Amino acid sequence: MKAMIFAAGLGTRLKPLTLDRPKALVELEGHTLLERSIRYLKAYGITDITVNVHHFAWMVTEFLRHHENTGIHLHLSDESEELLDTGGAILKARDFLAGDDPILLMNVDILTNLDLNRLLESHKQSGALASLVVRNRKTSRYLLFDQENQLTGWKNEITGELKICRPHQIDTSTPLAFSGMQLIQPHLLDLITETGKFSIIDLYLRLAATEQIMAFTDADSIWMDLGKYEQLDDARTLARQLDSGLA
């Protein structure tokens, strides 16, 4: 597998921690979020990793230069001029991601012990173009999946906005929360017609009308995204558990 870590976000909800650094370089128990993500991927033998940068891009570049990981081939996808969102990010980085291997995409602020071998095996068996890691948890925005785990739509619980890509299955679909991790086939990069800044979710919704965009329901692993400053203490506790192998 190859991998891409989305590390270009502004981290506005993590202020004041992100006033002088990017979210990727926020530390938990002595290790930055970016370092933790790279270590997690390396533990599964993933050594070809792309990192996109925007907010304090030079700091991420310098951090990686001074913390080179033996055996890791790192690529920097520079979005300094314009933040491209997740869909635009993979389009810009496509030359780094191209090849024959599945590509793992993940947000830099995720703490988890999800078994990536299980995800890869499920992805291969399903024949999916993309396998989206989802959980049965409360959130404001849901992905909708039918009984065959196929993506059928998206819903914003607060505004009531609904995007439907498979109308015939939408009434019997189950809402699940996206975990910010996904495994895609490299062929997906050739199907991108969008340009500029766009969300990868909107890309999936367009492709799901004709392609297999599938759910991988994660009910067993530990998972958290450090999205808000108020979550910092919980994130530190979880980081200690992950570091000790107790999570």
Side-chain angles (χ1 to χ4, degrees), residues 105-196:
L105 309 173
M106 66 177 290
N107 299 339
V108 74
D109 58 3
I110 291 173
L111 299 171
T112 187
N113 61 357
L114 173 67
D115 186 339
L116 294 182
N117 292 327
R118 285 182 52 232
L119 173 60
L120 179 61
E121 184 61 26
S122 173
H123 178 74
K124 289 180 176 179
Q125 288 184 359
S126 70
L129 180 66
S131 297
L132 315 187
V133 180
V134 293
R135 296 175 71 88
N136 185 8
R137 62 180 175 85
K138 188 175 180 179
T139 186
S140 59
R141 291 170 292 182
Y142 289 99
L143 295 174
L144 308 177
F145 295 91
D146 67 15
Q147 295 179 351
E148 303 300 321
N149 293 322
Q150 166 68 43
L151 180 65
T152 61
W154 172 95
K155 184 176 182 180
N156 187 317
E157 287 289 329
I158 297 175
T159 65
E161 182 183 3
L162 183 64
K163 297 179 181 180
I164 300 173
C165 49
R166 295 211 173 194
H168 298 299
Q169 292 104 317
I170 200 70
D171 290 338
T172 57
S173 292
T174 300
L176 293 167
F178 184 44
S179 292
M181 300 179 70
Q182 58 251 266
L183 197 58
I184 66 172
Q185 289 299 108
H187 173 57
L188 183 146
L189 300 172
D190 299 325
L191 302 178
I192 298 175
T193 57
E194 293 81 357
T195 58

Side-chain angles (χ1 to χ4, degrees), residues 214-227:
M214 309 294 287
F216 175 86
T217 304
D218 172 26
D220 302 320
S221 76
I222 298 297
W223 177 89
M224 178 184 182
D225 70 330
L226 179 54

